[in-house]
Amino acid sequence: MELIGAIFGAHPELALFCSLAMGYAMGKITIGSFTVGSVAGCLLAGVLVGQTGVVVSDDLQQAFFLLFLFSIGYRTGPQFFRSLNFGALPQIAITVLLCGVALLVAVLLASLMGLPVGIAAGLLAGGVTESATLGVAIDAFAKTGADEAAQQIFDGEIATGFAVAYFVGVIATIFFHTQLAPRFYGRSLKEACAEHEAELDDQDTPMVSEHRDFEARAYRINPEFAGQTVAEVEARVPPHVRAFIDRVRRDNRLLPTTRDMVLHKGDIAAIAGMRSYLIDHADMLGDEVEDPELLDLPVETSDIVVTNSAVVNQTLGELSTRPEARTVFLRGIMRSGERLPIFRGVTLHKGDVLTVSGTRNHIQDAADKLGYLDRDTNKTDMVFVAFFILLGGLIGIPALKYGAVELGLGTSVGVLLGGLVAGWLRSVRRTFGFVPEATLWIFDSVGLCVFVACVGITSGPSFVTGVLESGPSLILGSVAIVVFAHGSAIFVGHKVFGINEGVLAGTCCGAGTSAPALAAVQEAAQSQVPTLGYGLGYAVGNVLLALWGSVIVILLM
């Protein structure tokens, strides 16, 4: 230990990477359906490394935390601003209620149990499994004018509170929504989600087909099609089947098709669609022929980001009637990093990412109508990223003095808000501000894990003592936060707003920023319906819970 301590003392950067290596490895440990996770793993690894007495830079800790906050805002910006409308009020109300009750319970418990402000802030952050609350609280406490010794005590207390409460909070949230809540509903999540799926999958509404059993075949067209337009021929295809004429060979010329193009006798058409339909209706379509050149239709899969206000709030079924939808096949929808189910009644939101298959020209045509094509690239617009981190930080600096306490957003919340605006601007206009998914992962995962590892290293010497002294209180407190916060949310959501139980569970998981709980709820429901509520709750919940880091410090100082 003396040798390791000497090495880490001389090279604290190695201590940090040692914490990350051990933390990510510990994060892969799975016990039943519970996974430790990289955040908790890196915090505990940092505590272990911190026993050597190594000191890491506070500035390094804060810089990585700001990258993490920017990534949260960038991901959820489109969803957050889209939620500011009347139709989203029920889910916003549920999110605000859950976050508000969590704060209230944490403050009351701190008063009743005599918890120090650091333990209470860690309890709140861990109980709602929101790491941003942890960082904002540390930032807020630093502005109270406390000396270095008091700051070290606070860092140790908040790390202790978060580590214990986080584990309990994740497990309690999973148990609450998969075991307790269904008893309150009077039926299982599986039944509730199946009912909602049936509503969304209304067979009377046509929908863009998934890319399964899709191929193109060449036919010398049925003579009765001669003189008819492409649109008239395609109208013979049932709307739920999907088949279209991609191009034709006429007199040894390959011609692209348009909806008003008139077919001639002897034309050979490349008809793309569901394999079963092409086989079953071959006699009606014409004589199938071999024409490799005509059928050389390279199909690609690309992502389209929805930004066009004309299509936002429309269902997939409604969009499938648009001309550009006939030539692309939907393979998936992502919202706030979570995959949504594909049903006719699913409504598009600004910032949704549609994964579609088709030829390049057809995909580009669809992208022009829906938003923009998000082609793969490894270039990050760092001017954009750095500018909005700087701008957000500057906005958060101004504060009012109340005794020794500064009342203001703080740089942490300011950067989160800057990220929200940056993500929203990116969804509106594609000409700037691109951040690849791999870069976002580094900002999000590595940024957060470096921060919590630094917190663990700083608090290492006092961590064990803190757990022994406050462990039982933290366990009870974390369970109380989950039960009261999530309990009040499902009561109001179910009894007052009548939200489907599966969507409601997803909203609560999002409001509590608990991706592990969402995964457990989906597994219990055997459905992706909960993701329909997760995105909005996650976007609003992140902002509120980050703010609570400052609020709880101010209330308990």
Side-chain angles (χ1 to χ4, degrees), residues 5 9 46 172 178 193 212 244 280 299 303 309 315 319 334 433 480 488 532 556:
T178 59
C193 290
R212 54 176 183 267
F244 61 91
D280 294 342
V299 175
D303 291 334
S309 299
T315 64
L319 291 174
M334 295 291 289
S488 60
L532 296 174
L556 297 179

Side-chain angles (χ1 to χ4, degrees), residues 110-198:
S111 300
L112 294 174
M113 297 181 178
L115 301 178
V117 60
I119 292 291
L123 171 63
L124 174 61
V128 294
T129 65
E130 174 55 279
S131 305
T133 309
L134 179 75
V136 174
I138 292 175
D139 187 34
F141 187 82
K143 294 181 178 180
T144 62
D147 57 29
E148 183 177 349
Q151 184 70 52
Q152 289 181 347
I153 293 174
F154 178 86
D155 289 349
E157 290 174 343
I158 197 171
T160 301
F162 180 78
V164 176
Y166 181 85
F167 281 110
V168 178
V170 171
I171 296 171
T173 303
I174 291 173
F175 183 79
F176 181 88
H177 284 289
T178 59
Q179 303 298 323
L180 297 182
R183 298 179 185 275
F184 169 73
Y185 301 142
R187 62 174 177 173
S188 68
L189 288 172
K190 184 177 180 181
E191 293 173 317
C193 290
E195 178 185 89
H196 198 61
E197 288 177 357

